Amino acid sequence: MTPGQRRAIDELLEQYGIGGAQKLDFATLFPVNQPVTLEIGFGMGDSLLDMAIAFPARNFVGVEVHAPGVGHLLSRIEKADISNLKVIHGDVTGIIDRCPEGVFSQIQIFFPDPWHKKKHHKRRLINPGFLRRLLPLMREGGLLHVATDWEPYAESIVESFSGFPALSRCEAPWRPKTKYEGRGLRLGHRVSDLCYRKTMKALAMST
Ligand SMILES: C[S@@+](CC[C@H](N)C(=O)[O-])C[C@H]1O[C@@H](n2cnc3c(N)ncnc32)[C@H](O)[C@@H]1O
């Protein structure tokens, strides 16, 4: 971690971050109560900041476990002087239970760690058990947008999603290019954007 990233965590997390262990109330966490997008694993966070600037009528929450990325994004939020983006430093699997149901209009996971080796596949973030916990946090009509440059992971994600009748595949919305994506493209990888809508019809079927 650079000294600047360390300083940002020490000095800016309180202002631009979300801490504590209590249930999160997204209606009061932001100056304006508007639709909330959750990004899981934002890396260095530059693309998340670009989105927050591009969509001032939406609020954004980024969760990242890697401290240097958290520090980097906090510094950039301070410079950009925006109030619709908050950062959580931590593992998303420990944060899900703090989020109320039906709160996110969009959840995005861009380039989750692919864990190439078969023996490491169990470490992949996106699997049916994780989706089962994540889906209740989405509001009806909300989008779940995943991007990956690793085709075998894309196939396994599509298979995982197919087990959820509440999700129907749809066209992916615009998103900025991410840092990890740039690396994949330089290596000649094909990028898959997988987007699903939590439909009311399917919800009615599953209740
Ligand atoms: C391959 S990187 C992609 C980063 C960024 N989205 C991009 O496209 O440049 C995956 C990121 O997910 C983060 N991550 C992995 N598991 C996580 C978890 N359980 N909770 C929060 N972040 C996680 C990693 O620390 C890493 O920064």
Side-chain angles (χ1 to χ4, degrees), residues 164-195:
F164 291 84
L167 291 176
S168 64
R169 186 109 183 236
C170 62
E171 203 169 313
W174 172 86
R175 64 169 176 81
K177 198 164 116 184
T178 79
K179 187 167 183 208
Y180 193 85
E181 177 176 17
R183 176 187 164 279
L185 291 173
R186 282 193 295 280
L187 291 170
H189 294 179
R190 195 171 71 88
V191 170
S192 304
D193 274 89
L194 310 167
C195 194

Side-chain angles (χ1 to χ4, degrees), residues 39-43 63-66 90-93 110-113 125 178-181:
E39 179 161 329
I40 299 168
F42 59 71
V63 181
E64 173 56 60
V65 77
H66 185 58
D91 184 328
V92 70
T93 59
F110 297 150
F111 305 91
D113 294 303
L125 183 65
T178 79
K179 187 167 183 208
Y180 193 85
E181 177 176 17

